[in-house]
Amino acid sequence: MHIFLLAVLALVLLVLAFSYWLFYIGICRFPKDPELTVPKKLLDHADEINSGIAWFKAQEPERVCIPAYDGTKLSGLYLEHEDTRGTIILVHGFRSDAYYDFSCAFRFYYEQGYSLLSVFQRAHGESGGDYITFGAKERYDCRDWARYVFDRFGPEHDIFLSGISMGSATVLMAAGLGLPGSVRGIIA
């Protein structure tokens, strides 16, 4: 009987250790290649993705940094439209990048007359932080980015939040916070 209980306990401990390892891999920041490569499932669209990234970089967006509510340094890229209709804050997904997820939308949004603020979520890219919280902390970061745009351009400047994948969760959770009154919509 004791051997059976010890075997069950060992199995439970093994499952817990494996589960923790999987969880740790999922939430921790890991070094990434400086140049993103297109995943195999999107190779048919590699030219469009790379073209969109090249177009955005060629516009020489302004690098902006703000402190998050907890002091973490947040980074983003701001591309101002000279006759702007407002700013769209672009929030990428899990283990992605401020360039990659919106590569095919940058030019479209810009040609519609919007300035773009493409942010690096915490524990991604140029932003600080060690752990990804799947929107739990990132929602406050999104709120802080909206406040940054509001403070920089004033209450008459329309703001839209746009997210992909985990970025969608982030912008939707941010909707429940005290966003500036000039936030007009969310694209998730």
Side-chain angles (χ1 to χ4, degrees):
M1 184 70 162
H2 293 306
I3 294 175
F4 176 73
L5 290 176
L6 287 175
V8 169
L9 180 62
L11 181 62
V12 167
L13 290 175
L14 182 64
V15 168
L16 286 174
F18 182 70
S19 298
Y20 176 78
W21 178 75
L22 286 175
F23 176 73
Y24 180 80
I25 287 175
I27 66 165
C28 288
R29 173 195 288 264
F30 291 103
K32 196 173 205 174
D33 292 334
E35 293 298 320
L36 284 172
T37 56
V38 177
K40 288 181 184 178
K41 64 183 178 183
L42 295 176
L43 281 178
D44 292 343
H45 306 286
D47 291 340
E48 293 141 305
I49 292 168
N50 291 328
S51 172
I53 293 170
W55 179 87
F56 187 72
K57 287 181 176 182
Q59 308 312 304
E60 298 180 2
E62 172 190 356
R63 293 196 180 281
V64 292
C65 294
I66 63 169
Y69 71 96
D70 63 356
T72 301
K73 176 190 145 207
L74 301 175
S75 294
L77 302 162
Y78 184 74
L79 177 58
E80 188 168 4
H81 192 286
E82 59 186 43
D83 296 320
T84 191
R85 298 172 61 187
T87 295
I88 301 175
I89 300 173
L90 306 169
V91 185
H92 66 79
F94 177 70
R95 294 212 188 274
S96 192
D97 187 275
Y99 294 110
Y100 187 78
D101 278 357
F102 290 95
S103 60
C104 296
F106 288 137
R107 181 178 257 162
F108 173 78
Y109 284 150
Y110 189 80
E111 288 174 352
Q112 300 306 309
Y114 290 98
S115 298
L116 308 175
L117 175 57
S118 188
V119 302
F120 293 96
Q121 294 212 64
R122 66 176 50 229
H124 289 82
E126 298 174 15
S127 286
D130 295 320
Y131 300 103
I132 301 165
T133 65
F134 301 96
K137 288 186 175 183
E138 291 84 356
R139 65 184 163 161
Y140 297 108
D141 301 340
C142 185
R143 177 203 58 200
D144 293 343
W145 281 116
R147 287 181 180 168
Y148 165 80
V149 173
F150 179 83
D151 292 343
R152 182 170 172 176
F153 299 106
E156 300 302 316
H157 188 87
D158 292 342
I159 301 171
F160 296 89
L161 308 177
S162 180
I164 290 179
S165 188
M166 187 181 91
S168 292
T170 300
V171 299
L172 290 171
M173 284 193 264
L177 303 175
L179 294 173
S182 58
V183 174
R184 303 289 183 231
I186 294 175
I187 306 162

